[in-house]
């Protein structure tokens, strides 16, 4: 069978068709609607080529993704991480770094794999697959490949991919031309736009109790720093990092950093404002994550606005690496308020 699509898309089709043994699709930890939409559509691509695939989530699904599956009347299609051992070849979707693969990293990296992703810095990509930082989402990359191959996603998958695009582009605020092209194709394929909007907006107004507590704790512990005229907030948090950091950005921080201790590692989550992007150039969140990973030995990746890194280093060393990134931009860090994050993050 020969398929159209881009050259990279054709290579993915080749891998899906020819890979020996058990074929699996991996998403990132805490998989969001974009990761789930892209994974479901790659699975349908594989099925159209006569291949069965297993979907593996290293650390479960994020709330919005779960709510969408529920609204679609679909069971969670992902197997737990211990299934990863049985996989012989992989397609990794929407995932930028080893740390985002969590417990399945070793099972994936030892095998043949392709990457489909849109992050500005992707440290997993080794030439096989499609990494397009110009795309607003991974779902739109796969949607346009499917269209070029003459494949139509099922209604459920089309709806999940549409949700992925809307979620990752923050309701089209960060949309690219390819986002809208893909949306047109998904709507023609039967995607349920109203269901996506009602599910994604309903989730917003019903923040769970534990997430509210995490936000308030995260804000109350935060240290506040100044670099040039950028405001930087650093906090110590173990859960709902994205939600806490978005709250800090909403309160006025240009860069918000969440530090979380895990046994022998430190996980760092970063969010940056548009203004930080203008002042610092490049893709600040992703650049800080890469800088930390390079300086301290670990992995990191992400977008201009959101990124993450995981290193075997102490929180204070992480803060030192961030200060050295800012110094490389000619900015010195001044303390406005130390907060309690250092105490909270030391054991
Ligand atoms: Mn994404």
């Amino acid at each position: 069978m020969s398929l159209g699509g881009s050259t990279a898309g054709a290579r993915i089709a080749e891998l899906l068709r020819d890979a020996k043994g058990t074929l699996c699709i991996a998403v990132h930890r805490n998989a969001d609607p974009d990761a789930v939409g892209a994974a479901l559509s790659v699975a349908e691509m594989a099925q159209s080529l006569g291949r069965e695939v297993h979907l593996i989530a290293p650390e479960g699904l994020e709330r919005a993704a779960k709510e969408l599956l529920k609204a679609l009347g679909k069971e969670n299609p992902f197997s737990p991480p211990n299934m990863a051992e049985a996989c012989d070849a992989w397609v990794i979707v929407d995932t930028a770094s080893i740390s985002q693969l969590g417990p399945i990293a070793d099972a994936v990296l030892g095998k043949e794999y392709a990457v489909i992703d849109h992050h500005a810095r992707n440290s997993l990509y080794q030439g096989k697959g499609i990494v397009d930082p110009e795309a607003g989402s991974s779902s739109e990359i796969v949607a346009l490949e499917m269209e070029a191959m003459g494949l139509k996603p099922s209604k459920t998958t089309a709806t999940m991919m549409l949700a992925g695009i809307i979620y990752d582009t923050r309701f089209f605020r960060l949309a690219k031309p390819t986002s809208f092209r893909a949306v047109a194709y998904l709507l023609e394929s039967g995607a349920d736009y109203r269901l996506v909007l009602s599910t994604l907006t309903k989730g917003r107004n019903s923040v769970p109790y534990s997430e509210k507590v995490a936000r308030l704790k995260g804000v109350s512990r935060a240290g506040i720093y100044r670099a040039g005229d950028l405001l930087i907030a650093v906090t110590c948090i173990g859960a709902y990092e994205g939600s806490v950091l978005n709250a800090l950005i909403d309160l006025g921080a240009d860069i918000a950093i969440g530090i979380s201790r895990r046994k022998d590692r430190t996980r760092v989550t970063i969010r940056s404002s548009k203004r930080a992007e203008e002042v610092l150039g490049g893709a600040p969140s992703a650049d800080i994550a890469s800088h930390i990973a390079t300086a301290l030995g670990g992995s990191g990746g992400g977008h201009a606005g959101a990124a993450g890194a995981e290193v075997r280093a102490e929180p204070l060393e992480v803060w030192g690496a961030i200060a050295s990134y800012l110094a490389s931009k000619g900015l010195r860090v001044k303390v406005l308020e130390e907060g309690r994050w250092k105490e909270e993050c030391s054991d």
Side-chain angles (χ1 to χ4, degrees), residues 42-245:
V42 173
E44 289 191 1
M45 251 190 204
Q47 276 146 16
S48 76
L49 293 161
R51 285 298 292 262
E52 221 201 295
V53 286
H54 300 279
L55 297 168
I56 311 237
E59 243 172 54
L61 307 186
E62 199 236 16
R63 179 163 50 93
K66 283 187 203 152
E67 278 173 7
L68 283 158
L69 285 172
K70 204 168 105 194
L72 286 164
K74 199 173 158 61
E75 296 272 313
N76 179 348
F78 288 89
S79 300
N82 58 357
M83 296 294 290
E85 296 303 326
C87 302
D88 300 305
W90 292 86
V91 177
I92 309 168
V93 300
D94 201 42
T95 305
S97 69
I98 294 173
S99 70
Q100 286 190 299
L101 289 172
I104 67 171
D106 289 339
V108 174
L109 296 179
K111 301 285 163 62
E112 183 186 7
Y113 71 81
V115 177
I116 300 177
D117 187 34
H118 67 114
H119 290 86
R121 306 274 179 279
N122 187 307
S123 53
L124 289 167
Y125 182 63
Q126 291 185 332
K128 197 175 257 183
I130 308 175
V131 174
D132 180 7
E134 292 304 314
S137 65
S138 297
S139 294
E140 75 199 46
I141 295 175
V142 188
L144 293 175
E145 287 299 332
M146 286 184 98
E147 183 179 26
M149 291 174 181
L151 297 174
K152 229 180 175 69
S154 69
K155 276 188 180 204
T156 314
T157 295
T159 303
M160 201 44 138
M161 293 164 91
L162 175 63
I165 296 171
I166 293 176
Y167 185 88
D168 260 38
T169 63
R170 301 206 198 140
F171 289 82
F172 299 119
R173 281 192 283 275
L174 306 172
K176 303 289 171 62
T178 45
S179 317
F180 290 111
R181 262 186 219 127
V183 166
Y185 184 60
L186 295 171
L187 292 173
E188 285 159 10
S189 303
D192 189 339
Y193 186 49
R194 289 178 67 175
L195 180 135
V196 172
L197 284 189
S198 67
T199 310
L200 288 180
T201 50
K202 184 185 77 198
R204 266 190 189 169
N205 302 329
S206 60
V207 179
Y209 175 83
S210 53
E211 187 170 342
K212 290 186 209 167
V213 172
R215 279 188 194 172
L216 290 166
K217 277 190 180 174
V219 170
S220 77
R221 289 169 182 172
I224 306 161
Y225 305 89
R226 197 185 146 162
D229 64 351
L230 292 177
L231 286 167
I232 301 167
V234 185
T235 191
C236 183
I237 26 167
Y240 301 109
E241 287 94 333
S243 174
V244 173
L245 298 182

